[in-house]
Amino acid sequence: MDSDLTQKSLSFNSARFLISASRLDECPPDFGAEVAFAGRSNAGKSSALNAITANGKLARTSKTPGRTRLINFFTLNRENMRLVDLPGYGYAKVSRDMKDDWQKHLGHYLNERRCLRGLVLVMDIRHPLTDFDQMMVDWCEHNNLPLMILATKADKLKFGQAKTAMLGIAGKLKPFSCVQHLIMFSATSKRGVDECREALTDWLEAPEAEETEE
């Protein structure tokens, strides 16, 4: 018990690149705790990750949305705790074969990864709940995976407009019990960064669910 109390606190500033994987069998060993970030390529996922970790170069921001096809893993200062950057879902002009490959790629990770504690879905507050976003919400609901939604680029709207947008998103998500956090977010102004870090810490530090024997 004392050792738990003296354990160093989780620091997102400590995030460092670990490995990239193109397939599930290339991922790090499946133990510990991970939280994965997903989102359309133009939703600001890389910028959000960089803001949360206070490292402007952690996740590569690209002028070509959808270019990254790899799952990128980042270590934290606590053993076997990781953040995961999932491949961005590109624009409609991306070929159907590429989209199918992406969905298969993502599906293997989401369905098979046992140490996944939750999913952070990044969406543009000005264009929320796209078909991709809804697909991810439905998947989390079906699989009982905790979901955090970051409504990014809030600095692009006046505060009143942003609040109205958040109310609209919240209304549409009300039927989904998997949604544990809905956060207005801006990588530019850092709005929502602290709230997001607190929620990530709760997920990563939560004791692993154990099977109870009767």
Side-chain angles (χ1 to χ4, degrees):
M1 190 172 189
D2 289 344
S3 61
D4 289 341
L5 291 173
T6 58
Q7 195 172 34
K8 58 186 166 186
S9 59
L10 186 59
S11 168
F12 293 97
N13 296 27
S14 70
R16 297 292 182 269
F17 174 75
L18 174 63
I19 195 172
S20 292
S22 61
R23 303 189 310 272
L24 189 67
D25 60 9
E26 295 174 350
C27 294
D30 192 0
F31 57 84
E34 290 175 356
V35 174
F37 286 69
R40 281 184 63 89
S41 306
N42 55 338
K45 176 166 60 70
S46 295
S47 296
L49 260 169
N50 290 345
I52 291 162
T53 59
N55 184 341
K57 297 180 181 178
L58 187 78
R60 293 180 182 176
T61 55
S62 172
K63 297 294 184 184
T64 310
R67 189 174 65 177
T68 302
R69 318 308 296 176
L70 300 172
I71 301 174
N72 295 307
F73 292 83
F74 304 94
T75 60
L76 296 168
N77 66 324
R78 295 270 291 277
E79 190 175 6
N80 298 321
M81 288 188 181
R82 296 173 294 272
L83 300 179
V84 185
D85 185 10
L86 299 176
Y89 189 75
Y91 287 138
K93 64 184 178 183
V94 173
S95 71
R96 178 168 290 278
D97 285 347
M98 277 186 88
K99 283 186 178 177
D100 290 346
D101 180 62
W102 182 92
Q103 289 184 354
K104 177 181 172 185
H105 187 65
L106 180 71
H108 284 166
Y109 172 82
L110 291 174
N111 286 311
E112 305 295 335
R113 197 71 173 165
R114 294 185 170 210
C115 63
L116 184 63
R117 295 293 183 86
L119 183 74
V120 180
L121 179 58
V122 180
M123 63 178 74
D124 189 329
I125 192 171
R126 301 165 300 174
H127 312 288
L129 294 171
T130 63
D131 289 345
F132 166 77
D133 298 331
Q134 192 60 58
M135 177 181 77
M136 298 306 298
V137 173
D138 291 341
W139 188 91
C140 288
E141 185 75 5
H142 180 74
N143 291 280
N144 297 312
L145 184 70
L147 179 63
M148 180 192 315
I149 291 178
L150 299 187
T152 61
K153 306 187 182 183
D155 56 287
K156 304 286 187 184
L157 297 178
K158 292 179 180 176
F159 186 70
Q161 294 174 315
K163 289 288 284 184
T164 299
M166 290 295 286
L167 287 171
I169 297 169
K172 290 177 180 177
L173 292 174
K174 198 170 184 181
F176 298 94
S177 59
C178 64
V179 181
Q180 294 189 359
H181 306 278
L182 171 58
I183 300 173
M184 186 192 299
F185 194 92
S186 168
T188 302
S189 71
K190 305 299 185 283
R191 172 182 287 278
V193 168
D194 288 342
E195 187 179 353
C196 179
R197 286 174 172 173
E198 287 177 15
L200 289 172
T201 299
D202 287 344
W203 281 356
L204 289 167
E205 293 187 338
E208 202 167 349
E210 296 181 357
E211 292 184 16
T212 55
E213 295 184 17
E214 292 293 323

